[in-house]
């Protein structure tokens, strides 16, 4: 075997992606993997610099300049589609003027194995490319498993929020929290007042000044309510601008009326949000648990709602106690909540 | 034990016998939950308890069950990603056999806290090998018998496998390679990533 043929054999096994150039930069020989870059044609006889664009170091356009780069890392781009980036290193060969270039796909190997249908046999046995491809797949599989865990955790978080008893915007109890509190009060046979309150003109604030202003108003209203009630009372936001107050140990209805009136007055004061004035007011209706022989949540909420409706029809910014007359007036036309049992006052 | 191992057992039961059977296993093993998380670490005692529960509920001998799980891990379409990762071990079945010593290290490269049984391939003569398996869970030799059987099929090789029993916690599987190119086998392209 000639020394040149032996050299080819050695290089084919140890660096299958090599090229041998003559002094003029013509390709004399291409290793089996290098040849795969041009699947339909032979590389032999082509000009190296016509096939590969040297990105770094810059301005290598002659075989002489190319020879100067011996030993340093070259960044190349193949001039044919899909224009993959390659890494390379050049050394002068044993024969005069000869240059040997070893190529590598670098990080683009993940795409290159698909582009050129490469197999394990296209890489030197010591090459870590196969291990790298293995790692890429193993990491994606592990990452996918982690992503699934994150998705499930996210789902659990949403479910937990749904089960939460507080309203995240105002910190008040939410509808669920109020329902629970109300059920407890009824079960314990406590004497309490249920006040249904909603904001007037809130929609206008939301529509003209934006949701941020609306949210701010709700937070301020919540603060006012919490300031006006006593520590053993419960305030809940049960809908967009609807609130339910559960006021405990009420001996005198007058105290309830005072609380309602103070809240209504303070809510009606202008609220300043980012230099703009938000004007809302509120209306309220209350029913007292002591007026029922059989107390149900639906009944209380429905009757408080009837009283609230009365406040609104009397020109808003009012507080009304429920009475049987009111229901007779509303004539059953307005049945905000289902009635479970006939009222017995 | 790593959640990936427990999760694999769960997937085996669900994919082969259905979710209700797995729910019964979870109850029998007293897990307190139904689904294992793959990326989680569980108490080491959980895995043997689950395997015993699977064996009881499915009414299958333990060793046979372990071999079925090994076979499932490689051959079920739902676990194509795992088959591909194993195929990275070698271009043919002999190459693959020689890569088994590295398998625990390879697994750790991907998931740093995943500990697989220690494996050692011995060559006894032309086409005659044995694989020593030393793991925390009894029956890992049977599990690898299943893995090897499915991988031989995958590579298209004809093999005769036999579990030779255990000694000092090391289980040995004898491997007689009768033919390397018995069938076409299943394809493996470096660039075709399993989704």
């Amino acid at each position: 075997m000639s020394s040149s043929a032996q050299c080819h054999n050695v290089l084919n096994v140890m660096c299958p992606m090599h090229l041998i150039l003559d002094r003029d930069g013509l390709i004399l020989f291409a290793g089996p993997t290098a040849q795969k870059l041009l699947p339909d044609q032979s590389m032999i006889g082509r000009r190296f610099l016509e096939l590969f664009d040297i990105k770094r170091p810059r301005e290598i356009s002659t075989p002489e300049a190319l020879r100067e780069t011996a030993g340093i890392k070259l960044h190349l781009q193949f001039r044919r589609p899909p224009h993959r980036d390659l890494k390379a290193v050049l050394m002068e060969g044993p024969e005069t003027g000869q240059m040997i270039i070893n190529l590598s796909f670098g990080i683009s190997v993940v795409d290159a194995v698909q582009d050129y249908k490469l197999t394990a046999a296209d890489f030197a046995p010591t090459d870590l490319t196969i291990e790298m491809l293995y790692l890429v797949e193993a990491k994606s599989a592990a990452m996918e498993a982690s992503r699934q865990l994150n998705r499930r955790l996210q789902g659990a978080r949403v479910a937990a929020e749904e089960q939460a008893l507080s309203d995240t915007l105002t910190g008040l109890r939410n509808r669920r929290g109020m329902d629970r509190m109300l059920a407890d009060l009824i079960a314990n046979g406590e004497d309490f007042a249920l006040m249904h309150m909603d904001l007037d003109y809130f929609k206008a604030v939301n529509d003209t000044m934006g949701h941020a202003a609306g949210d701010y108003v709700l937070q301020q209203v919540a603060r006012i309510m919490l300031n006006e009630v006593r520590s053993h009372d419960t305030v809940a936001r049960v809908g967009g601008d609807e609130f339910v107050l559960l006021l405990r140990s009420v001996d005198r209805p007058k105290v309830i009326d005072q609380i309602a009136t103070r809240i209504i007055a303070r809510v009606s004061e202008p609220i300043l949000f980012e230099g703009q004035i938000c004007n809302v007011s509120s209306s309220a209706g209350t029913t007292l648990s002591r007026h029922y022989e059989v107390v149900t949540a639906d009944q209380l909420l429905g009757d408080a709602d009837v009283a609230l409706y009365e406040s609104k029809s009397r020109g808003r910014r009012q507080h009304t106690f429920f009475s049987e007359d009111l229901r007779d007036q509303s004539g059953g036309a307005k049945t905000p909540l289902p009635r479970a049992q006939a009222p017995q006052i | 034990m790593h959640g990936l191992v427990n999760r694999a057992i769960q997937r085996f039961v669900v994919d082969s016998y259905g979710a209700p059977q797995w729910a019964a296993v979870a109850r029998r093993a007293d897990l307190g939950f139904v689904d294992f998380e793959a990326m989680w670490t569980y108490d080491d005692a959980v895995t043997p308890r689950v395997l015993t529960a699977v064996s009881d509920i499915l009414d299958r001998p333990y060793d046979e069950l372990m071999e079925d799980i090994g076979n499932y891990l490689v051959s079920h379409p739902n676990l194509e990603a795992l088959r591909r990762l194993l195929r990275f071990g070698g271009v043919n079945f002999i190459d693959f056999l020689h890569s088994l010593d590295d398998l625990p290290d390879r697994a750790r490269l991907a998931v740093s806290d995943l500990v697989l049984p220690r494996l050692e391939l011995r060559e006894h003569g032309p086409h005659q090998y044995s694989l020593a398996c030393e793991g925390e869970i009894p029956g890992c030799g049977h599990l690898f018998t299943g893995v090897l059987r499915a991988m031989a099929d995958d590579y298209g090789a004809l093999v005769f496998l036999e579990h030779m029993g255990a000694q000092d916690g090391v289980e040995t599987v004898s491997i007689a390679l009768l033919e390397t190119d018995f069938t076409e086998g299943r394809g493996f392209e470096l660039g075709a990533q399993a989704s």
Side-chain angles (χ1 to χ4, degrees):
Chain A
M1 194 187 289
S2 74
S3 70
S4 153
Q6 194 183 0
C7 174
H8 289 173
N9 282 343
V10 169
L11 288 175
N12 280 350
V13 171
M14 301 186 83
C15 351
M17 206 174 165
H18 75 279
L19 297 168
I20 301 178
L21 314 185
D22 70 4
R23 66 173 67 243
D24 300 320
L26 289 178
I27 297 173
L28 290 176
F29 187 82
T33 308
Q35 179 56 55
K36 289 203 167 180
L37 289 172
L38 265 189
D40 305 323
Q41 301 153 39
S42 171
M43 283 213 164
I44 293 163
R46 291 174 174 275
R47 241 168 242 293
F48 176 79
L49 290 171
E50 280 173 10
L51 284 178
F52 298 91
D53 181 14
I54 301 188
K55 306 288 242 185
R56 238 173 299 151
R58 293 185 172 278
E59 290 167 31
I60 307 285
S61 54
T62 64
E64 292 71 31
L66 185 62
R67 187 183 307 279
E68 295 288 306
T69 68
I72 66 170
K73 185 182 193 173
L74 303 175
H75 296 253
L76 316 178
Q77 192 180 52
F78 195 48
R79 291 185 190 270
R80 305 289 172 87
H83 302 286
R84 290 277 173 236
D85 288 328
L86 300 157
K87 304 274 188 294
V89 63
L90 173 149
M91 288 298 283
E92 295 202 48
E95 287 166 37
T96 325
Q98 188 189 51
M99 294 179 270
I100 300 174
I101 298 177
N102 193 22
L103 298 167
S104 147
F105 286 109
I107 206 75
S108 73
V109 70
V110 178
D111 300 314
V113 288
Q114 280 179 317
D115 294 343
Y116 302 111
K117 303 218 178 317
L118 302 179
T119 70
D122 289 314
F123 299 95
T126 49
D127 192 326
L128 291 178
T129 298
I130 303 301
E131 274 72 12
M132 195 182 102
L133 293 172
Y134 158 81
L135 262 188
V136 168
E137 282 200 34
K139 283 288 173 197
S140 336
M143 197 74 93
E144 179 53 29
S146 290
R147 253 199 298 274
Q148 282 173 4
L149 172 59
N150 284 341
R151 265 198 296 272
R152 276 195 290 277
L153 289 178
Q154 180 63 20
R157 208 178 76 102
V158 169
E161 271 176 13
E162 278 170 7
Q163 287 161 18
L165 300 176
S166 305
D167 168 38
T168 46
L169 177 65
T170 60
L172 299 177
R173 290 211 164 212
N174 60 16
R175 172 73 203 223
R176 180 192 302 271
M178 188 278 291
D179 282 343
R180 219 174 257 198
M181 194 67 199
L182 179 55
D184 284 352
L185 288 173
I186 294 172
N188 296 337
E190 278 198 46
D191 187 10
F192 64 97
L194 187 152
M195 186 184 297
H196 192 182
M197 194 172 250
D198 80 359
L199 300 184
D200 307 315
Y201 320 116
F202 176 73
K203 190 174 181 306
V205 171
N206 236 350
D207 290 350
T208 58
M209 300 174 64
H211 288 290
D215 286 353
Y216 183 74
V217 166
L218 291 171
Q219 285 167 338
Q220 294 310 305
V221 169
R223 206 172 48 81
I224 290 168
M225 289 178 174
L226 286 174
N227 277 335
E228 295 302 332
V229 300
R230 298 149 305 173
S231 61
H232 54 268
D233 296 330
T234 298
V235 183
R237 181 162 82 107
V238 297
D241 62 345
E242 284 184 66
F243 299 83
V244 167
L245 288 77
L246 301 172
L247 308 166
R248 297 165 76 180
S249 48
V250 281
D251 300 330
R252 292 172 300 154
K254 195 159 168 262
V255 175
I256 306 297
D257 194 49
Q258 281 169 352
I259 291 174
T261 309
R262 275 203 305 271
I263 292 175
I264 290 168
R266 289 193 55 197
V267 167
S268 302
E269 289 168 14
I271 295 170
L272 200 62
F273 176 73
E274 291 180 354
Q276 286 183 289
I277 291 170
C278 313
N279 278 310
V280 294
S281 71
S282 66
S283 306
T286 300
T287 192
L288 302 170
S289 65
R290 69 167 71 139
H291 288 165
Y292 304 82
E293 266 180 29
V294 178
V295 186
T296 69
D298 283 350
Q299 183 71 58
L300 293 172
L301 287 164
D303 289 348
D305 203 49
V306 169
L308 168 64
Y309 187 74
E310 172 66 12
S311 294
K312 285 198 177 280
S313 62
R314 286 198 290 132
R316 308 173 201 272
R317 293 187 61 176
Q318 315 257 347
H319 172 238
T320 311
F321 279 106
F322 172 76
S323 70
E324 273 304 296
D325 301 345
L326 288 178
R327 184 177 9 242
D328 295 343
Q329 277 172 34
S330 67
K334 186 176 184 299
T335 46
L337 286 164
R339 301 287 147 98
Q341 282 160 295
Q344 298 186 329
I345 299 178
Chain B
M1 185 61 67
H2 202 282
L4 277 168
V5 175
N6 295 326
R7 179 91 183 161
I9 300 168
Q10 177 185 343
R11 292 184 69 170
F12 162 75
V13 176
V14 171
D15 287 343
S16 314
Y17 299 91
Q21 292 286 58
W22 171 253
V25 168
R27 273 195 305 277
R28 166 74 66 113
D30 205 13
L31 289 181
F33 53 84
V34 177
D35 290 319
F36 277 114
E37 283 298 343
M39 285 297 154
W40 203 255
T41 307
Y42 294 87
D43 191 80
D44 282 346
V46 169
T47 312
R49 211 164 73 219
V50 166
L51 286 169
T52 309
V54 175
S55 172
D56 290 349
I57 295 285
L58 301 180
D59 196 18
R60 303 281 315 274
Y62 183 87
D63 294 347
E64 211 179 288
L65 173 73
M66 291 298 277
E67 187 173 333
D68 276 2
I69 294 175
N71 192 70
Y72 162 84
L73 292 176
V74 177
S75 58
H76 199 280
N78 286 358
L79 276 81
E80 170 71 4
L82 186 57
R83 173 189 90 95
R84 281 189 57 81
L85 292 178
L86 287 168
R87 283 287 296 247
F88 271 105
V91 291
N92 56 44
F93 189 67
I94 297 177
D95 226 20
F96 167 76
L97 286 178
H98 285 287
S99 79
L100 285 171
D101 289 13
D102 295 338
L103 191 66
D105 288 335
R106 278 178 171 271
R108 252 204 316 279
L109 269 182
V111 181
S112 57
D113 52 351
L114 176 60
V115 181
L116 293 189
R118 213 174 52 79
L119 300 172
E120 195 184 331
L121 186 81
R122 292 186 198 130
E123 211 167 338
H124 302 289
H127 310 305
Q128 186 61 50
Y129 306 84
S130 69
L131 183 69
C133 315
E134 188 180 3
E136 313 220 335
I137 300 169
C140 68
H142 291 283
L143 183 99
F144 273 94
T145 306
V147 168
L148 289 174
R149 208 183 291 290
M151 284 307 285
D153 198 50
D154 211 85
Y155 278 107
L158 183 64
V159 293
F160 181 75
L161 302 167
E162 198 177 0
H163 192 284
M164 307 302 283
Q167 200 172 12
D168 302 330
V170 180
E171 296 178 39
T172 305
V173 183
S174 105
I175 305 158
L177 181 58
L178 305 177
E179 216 168 310
T180 46
D181 295 316
F182 183 62
T183 63
E184 277 276 296
R186 283 166 76 190
F188 176 71
E189 280 176 31
L190 281 183
Q193 279 200 30
S195 55

